[in-house]
Amino acid sequence: MTTALPRTRVMTQHRFGGPEVLVIEERERPVPGPGEVLLRVRAVGVNALDRLVRSGAAPVLGEPPFTLGVDVSGVVEATGEGVTLFRPGDEVFGKIPAGGYAEHVTAPAEHFAAKPTTLDHVHAAAAPTATLTAWQALVDLAQVAPGTRVLVHAAAGGVGHAAVQLAKAEGAYVIGTARADKHGFLYDLGIDEAVDYTATDFATAVHDMDVALDLIGGDYGPRTLNTLRPGGLLISAIPGDLGLSPEDVDARGMRFAVVQTEPSGIRLGKIASLLASNRLRIHVEAVLPFTEAAKAHELSESGHVQGKLVLTLPD
């Protein structure tokens, strides 16, 4: 008699297209390999990149079928050979390569950090990509310090609102671009100035910035150069739509860098301490059940989500 292998559900897709291509399937539960953990997912963050990958606009996962989702929070169910960081029963959160829209997922243990006990799974799942992008841009690349003048575009969005808070935690003076109805939210986060890009040309209104974080791409890069002081640093988090070249920036006497967010349990451990102390707050605009991933993608496509969207899975 053959014993049936444990099963799990995943949200997958077999073709590129709109939110309707997302479908739930049942599969064998994955087994962690050496250095990996098996995570029982409790919540998964929905990122703007998810919808671009789903549609084929950013085919970073190759051809379907595949499962989206890089930001997860959950409980370790099993560990692979050589894993000493975590044990079954530990609550962790992290950024993984893909596959988070699922009840179970395996990923390298080093991609995870212990979830703060003061943080629920929803807010933990909303944090990894947003906070790691902001950290790697502002702390690792820009080395923001007290008095640094920082401009953040799309400041009320997922990465943007994390960047505002991290820059403030490092002592920076922070200006952010956002629609007027988001300004109250930004001032509550501690921003120094908010600029309504629909009513004011930030390229002429903002001056003498040391660092600018471009979370939009296109013509924002060239326009943002006008806000920087000589020797200022422009950081783009939109590798596929820079709007300029490093040579363009160098010719203006400024510096340029691209941040491509890397998983890092070590950095997330540092971020976790900020989350635990409430010095960093991740805003979640909407929480939907895992089965409504398509609806979450529709919300994401509006382009005006404040903070993050999260899918939850049953215990």
Side-chain angles (χ1 to χ4, degrees):
M1 180 177 179
T2 303
T3 302
L5 295 173
R7 309 287 287 179
T8 193
R9 293 187 305 162
V10 303
M11 180 72 68
T12 191
Q13 64 182 87
H14 292 272
R15 59 185 176 88
F16 293 123
E20 73 281 354
V21 303
L22 299 173
V23 295
I24 293 178
E25 294 181 352
E26 189 176 276
R27 297 179 181 173
E28 288 185 7
R29 187 176 303 176
V31 176
E36 293 184 333
V37 299
L38 171 65
L39 188 73
R40 176 60 168 94
V41 180
R42 292 284 185 258
V44 54
V46 176
N47 292 307
L49 182 61
D50 292 354
R51 58 185 170 82
L52 297 177
V53 176
R54 183 212 70 226
S55 68
V60 297
L61 297 181
E63 293 291 321
F66 51 69
T67 296
L68 300 169
V70 299
D71 290 344
V72 292
S73 182
V75 181
V76 175
E77 284 201 350
T79 59
E81 181 183 353
V83 174
T84 58
L85 291 172
F86 305 110
R87 298 180 298 176
D90 287 347
E91 295 188 329
V92 301
F93 71 121
K95 177 180 173 63
I96 62 176
Y101 289 18
E103 291 178 333
H104 293 85
V105 67
T106 56
E110 62 188 16
H111 289 357
F112 296 95
K115 181 183 75 64
T117 57
T118 56
L119 204 67
D120 60 22
H121 285 296
V122 166
H123 288 81
T129 291
T131 59
L132 283 170
T133 302
W135 184 283
Q136 290 170 25
L138 300 178
V139 178
D140 293 346
L141 287 174
Q143 299 181 350
V144 167
T148 304
R149 290 173 56 83
V150 177
L151 172 63
V152 178
H153 287 309
V159 176
H161 87 296
V164 167
Q165 295 175 81
L166 280 177
K168 290 303 298 179
E170 297 297 315
Y173 185 93
V174 183
I175 300 175
T177 61
R179 290 176 178 269
D181 60 354
K182 309 292 186 185
H183 288 190
F185 169 66
L186 291 174
Y187 284 118
D188 184 56
L189 296 179
I191 202 168
D192 295 288
E193 296 181 45
V195 176
D196 179 3
Y197 66 90
T198 68
T200 303
D201 182 5
F202 72 84
T204 58
V206 180
H207 303 282
D208 300 318
M209 305 309 293
D210 298 299
V211 178
L213 178 57
D214 180 11
L215 301 171
I216 298 176
D219 70 347
Y220 263 66
R223 294 170 62 202
T224 299
L225 291 180
N226 296 321
T227 71
L228 291 173
R229 63 167 178 77
L233 174 62
L234 172 62
I235 301 175
S236 175
I238 314 294
D241 190 15
L242 298 177
L244 42 63
S245 69
E247 292 75 20
D248 296 330
V249 181
D250 187 61
R252 294 277 298 272
M254 298 164 190
R255 296 173 294 142
F256 181 64
V258 176
V259 59
Q260 294 182 286
T261 313
E262 298 293 335
S264 173
I266 292 175
R267 288 188 182 92
L268 275 181
K270 297 176 181 178
I271 290 166
S273 65
L274 294 174
L275 293 167
S277 65
N278 212 35
R279 293 179 67 198
L280 175 59
R281 293 174 287 153
I282 300 301
H283 176 77
V284 175
E285 176 155 307
V287 181
L288 297 92
F290 165 68
T291 53
E292 295 185 16
K295 182 177 179 180
H297 278 229
E298 291 171 0
L299 290 173
S300 177
E301 286 173 347
S302 73
H304 300 301
V305 172
Q306 182 171 289
K308 298 286 294 183
L309 301 170
V310 177
L311 304 173
T312 57
L313 293 97
D315 293 345

